[in-house]
Amino acid sequence: IQLTQSPSSLSASVGDRVTITCRASQGISSYLAWYQQKPGKAPKLLIYAASTLQSGVPSRFSGSGSGTDFTLTISSLQPEDFATYYCQQLNSYPPITFGQGTRLEIK
Amino acid sequence: EVQLVESGGGLVQPGGSLRLSCAASGFTFSSYEMNWVRQAPGKGLEWVSYISSSGSTIYYADSVKGRFTISRDNAKNSLYLQMNSLRAEDTAVYYCARFNLAANDYWGQGTLVTVSS
């Protein structure tokens, strides 16, 4: 199963609402997770089961979708949110697959 | 506090071998499935291998199948990745990650493997 994220990169300002899309090549029910990664750091789990917020993650992050189309939304960008975001499918494995990443930069 | 600490990375020549370790603490290691995930310099995340909580079920990415071996020692709270016949394209930061809630909820800090002559 291939995951395609869009856009690959994105420039936005603090306070903006941002949406990142992840499309699966076949249906994966709700077995999708979202991660945030900052340079030189390990990925951090944000969302699992497509829409469940991981404990400790700010509520400005939300996820939605099922089947093949999923979105990660940040309702009001904060300075610490500028990072790279990855989706991951765990419906059908092996292999476990990741999207190619979306780099979120400061405008 | 959940902690995963990788070790064993370094510089190795093409065709060589390396064994990575991941020391787990702060949770009941024997109850959780585990993964190895890698990231080549400047690239995205690539899943490498999965092992069930008992070690009875193991999966590999096609790119490492036949060369890498995942294992665990639940008595020592440790996860391993034996890497043989290393290639330049195996150069990456290798992360161990706990598998929970249909996601990887905790990750180690990573260990860098460089394959070069």
Side-chain angles (χ1 to χ4, degrees):
Chain A
I1 297 175
Q2 295 186 347
L3 298 179
T4 303
Q5 288 182 232
S6 60
S8 295
S9 64
L10 174 61
S11 294
S13 301
V14 173
D16 283 353
R17 180 183 179 90
V18 166
T19 297
I20 298 169
T21 297
C22 179
R23 176 163 289 177
S25 59
Q26 62 190 75
I28 58 170
S29 185
S30 296
Y31 290 97
L32 189 100
W34 289 98
Y35 300 88
Q36 176 194 68
Q37 188 180 34
K38 297 181 179 180
K41 300 295 186 181
K44 173 187 174 183
L45 176 64
L46 300 175
I47 302 279
Y48 63 93
S51 61
T52 304
L53 196 66
Q54 170 71 341
S55 176
V57 174
S59 59
R60 63 180 180 272
F61 291 92
S62 63
S64 65
S66 67
T68 59
D69 293 313
F70 301 86
T71 59
L72 172 70
T73 299
I74 309 172
S75 60
S76 179
L77 273 174
Q78 298 302 302
E80 61 268 30
D81 299 337
F82 292 94
T84 300
Y85 293 84
Y86 294 93
C87 58
Q88 178 198 39
Q89 74 82 21
L90 303 105
N91 177 69
S92 175
Y93 59 90
I96 294 170
T97 47
F98 290 91
Q100 82 278 13
T102 295
R103 186 172 181 178
L104 178 53
E105 300 176 320
I106 301 173
K107 184 182 286 184
Chain B
E1 179 193 6
V2 172
Q3 281 199 318
L4 298 169
V5 180
E6 300 95 338
S7 61
L11 175 63
V12 61
Q13 292 189 336
S17 298
L18 216 51
R19 188 194 196 206
L20 305 184
S21 298
C22 171
S25 61
F27 65 103
T28 305
F29 180 70
S30 59
S31 297
Y32 289 87
E33 302 153 89
M34 298 293 294
N35 283 318
W36 285 100
V37 176
R38 68 184 180 184
Q39 187 170 36
K43 303 297 185 183
L45 300 171
E46 180 189 15
W47 169 76
V48 172
S49 186
Y50 158 97
I51 188 167
S52 63
S53 56
S54 67
S56 60
T57 300
I58 285 172
Y59 302 126
Y60 298 100
D62 286 346
S63 58
V64 307
K65 200 174 296 181
R67 300 187 299 122
F68 289 13
T69 301
I70 191 172
S71 63
R72 64 191 297 160
D73 186 335
N74 286 342
K76 294 183 177 180
N77 293 333
S78 293
L79 176 72
Y80 306 101
L81 187 67
Q82 176 68 44
M83 303 186 297
N84 299 331
S85 303
L86 283 161
R87 307 166 179 167
E89 53 266 35
D90 296 318
T91 293
V93 174
Y94 284 74
Y95 297 100
C96 64
R98 192 175 81 167
F99 194 96
N100 186 39
L101 307 169
N104 293 123
D105 61 347
Y106 285 94
W107 298 63
Q109 85 288 351
T111 187
L112 176 62
V113 172
T114 303
V115 184
S116 175
S117 54

